[in-house]
């Protein structure tokens, strides 16, 4: 089944402008958790490549680190895509939830 990450159910969207915003969003996502949720999270980033790469790297590695520190499963899938003319986006969701949703 072909799908686009924008089709996944999202529980919360974060509109990040810099790495400091990313750190706050990571803390929130790790606190809310990924396991046992039927939705994922969406992170919007400015379409300036240098900033987007920094934010993307900070988010993906920060989620892994945060979940490891909480001793939670780190089986989180993510996709990066062009969201609109002004944003790139990352959608993050637990892999087991993807299977339950049929993706």
């Amino acid at each position: 089944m072909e799908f686009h990450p924008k089709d996944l159910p999202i529980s919360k969207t974060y509109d990040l402008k810099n790495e400091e915003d990313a750190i706050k969003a990571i803390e929130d996502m790790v606190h809310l958790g990924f396991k046992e949720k039927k939705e994922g999270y969406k992170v919007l980033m400015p379409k300036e490549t240098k900033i987007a790469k920094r934010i993307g790297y900070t988010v993906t590695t920060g989620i892994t680190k945060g979940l490891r520190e909480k001793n939670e499963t780190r089986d989180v899938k993510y996709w990066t895509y062009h969201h609109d003319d002004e944003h790139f986006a990352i959608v993050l969701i637990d892999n087991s939830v993807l299977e339950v949703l049929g993706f």
Side-chain angles (χ1 to χ4, degrees), residues 86-100:
E86 298 177 8
H87 297 96
F88 289 116
I90 302 175
V91 172
L92 303 107
I93 192 166
D94 187 88
N95 192 37
S96 62
V97 172
L98 266 182
E99 295 170 11
V100 170

Side-chain angles (χ1 to χ4, degrees), residues 27-41:
E27 290 170 355
D28 190 49
M29 285 185 269
V30 169
H31 172 74
L32 294 172
F34 285 85
K35 200 78 171 154
E36 307 300 323
K37 294 190 90 144
K38 300 291 187 224
E39 307 96 12
Y41 301 102

Side-chain angles (χ1 to χ4, degrees), residues 1-10 29 34 39-45 52 55-57 59-60 63 75-83 87-99 101-103:
M1 171 188 238
E2 288 293 318
F3 76 99
H4 192 277
K6 68 177 170 49
D7 299 331
L8 294 171
I10 301 297
M29 285 185 269
F34 285 85
E39 307 96 12
Y41 301 102
K42 183 184 292 184
V43 174
L44 299 176
M45 306 170 286
I55 291 172
Y57 179 78
V59 168
T60 55
I63 293 294
D75 190 14
V76 175
K77 289 223 181 230
Y78 68 90
W79 295 266
T80 305
Y81 65 96
H82 294 269
H83 182 70
H87 297 96
F88 289 116
I90 302 175
V91 172
L92 303 107
I93 192 166
D94 187 88
N95 192 37
S96 62
V97 172
L98 266 182
E99 295 170 11
L101 293 173
F103 290 104

